[in-house]
Amino acid sequence: MKRILTLAAITAIALVPLGASAQTILSWGTMYGVDGGFVNHTDIRGVRGDELPWMVSSATGSLSTDGHLMISVRGLVFTRDPEVPPELQGINDETSFRALVSCLSDEGKGRVSTVNIITSGFPATRSGNSDIDTTVSLPGSCVAPIIFVLSGSEDKWFAVTGAEIGSKAAPPTSGRPTGRP
């Protein structure tokens, strides 16, 4: 009888489906500081850039299917451009940063909506360093996610997933890579 119960227990454990482990939806090794045409003029998925330009020294992060969001940002500070008041140049004047996860979500019946999820604040240093480690509640589908680092005090972004490639290099004019026939 003991052997039958042991065998039954082992069989039951083997038949229990293992929970799906979280998979990475997005990981990145760079972010773009709000600058140029994105300063206070152009919304990205309904989120407006700050009214002054920012730069970021480094940023890495990941978002997984269970909503785990990790961002490590370093040197997210105002640029040293003339439009930035001298007392703000090269510093961060916010005590905290927040993250925003933006997904396109399939509502069914041919409709797609933008779902923006904002985290609570995480401490940020005057030199623009912050580590965001949290879990967000993702919609049933999260397509083409974009990650923002927001001000701690208002819904304006300072950095977004992306990169500035080169120095004002002109984009290719065709779908083919440049430098090839």
Side-chain angles (χ1 to χ4, degrees):
M1 180 69 163
K2 186 175 182 181
R3 190 180 319 171
I4 292 172
L5 288 175
T6 303
L7 185 58
I10 291 170
T11 303
I13 290 170
L15 293 177
V16 173
L18 297 175
S21 62
Q23 296 178 342
T24 302
I25 298 173
L26 178 67
S27 64
W28 62 94
T30 184
M31 294 185 94
Y32 178 85
V34 65
D35 197 12
F38 293 105
V39 173
N40 204 32
H41 298 291
T42 305
D43 288 1
I44 299 175
R45 299 241 181 112
V47 185
R48 186 169 295 269
D50 194 54
E51 62 273 357
L52 292 171
W54 288 70
M55 63 183 197
V56 59
S57 294
S58 68
T60 60
S62 64
L63 174 66
S64 60
T65 54
D66 64 358
H68 187 210
L69 175 66
M70 291 179 32
I71 303 172
S72 177
V73 64
R74 299 291 177 262
L76 181 55
V77 295
F78 287 109
T79 64
R80 296 189 183 277
D81 293 330
E83 65 264 35
V84 177
E87 67 275 9
L88 294 177
Q89 292 181 10
I91 67 158
N92 161 40
D93 66 344
E94 295 282 329
T95 58
S96 65
F97 291 150
R98 296 173 298 150
L100 183 146
V101 176
S102 181
C103 300
L104 297 179
S105 186
D106 184 355
E107 291 184 8
K109 299 184 181 179
R111 293 185 4 197
V112 173
S113 66
T114 298
V115 177
N116 289 338
I117 306 122
I118 299 176
T119 71
S120 59
F122 288 81
T125 66
R126 192 162 174 83
S127 59
N129 299 343
S130 185
D131 292 308
I132 297 171
D133 188 353
T134 190
T135 300
V136 296
S137 182
L138 294 175
S141 58
C142 181
V143 177
I146 300 173
I147 311 300
F148 298 84
V149 174
L150 299 178
S151 161
S153 62
E154 57 186 340
D155 292 342
K156 292 186 178 180
W157 66 269
F158 297 158
V160 65
T161 46
E164 184 168 5
I165 313 301
S167 57
K168 311 292 183 204
T173 56
S174 72
R176 293 191 304 196
T178 57
R180 291 191 170 180

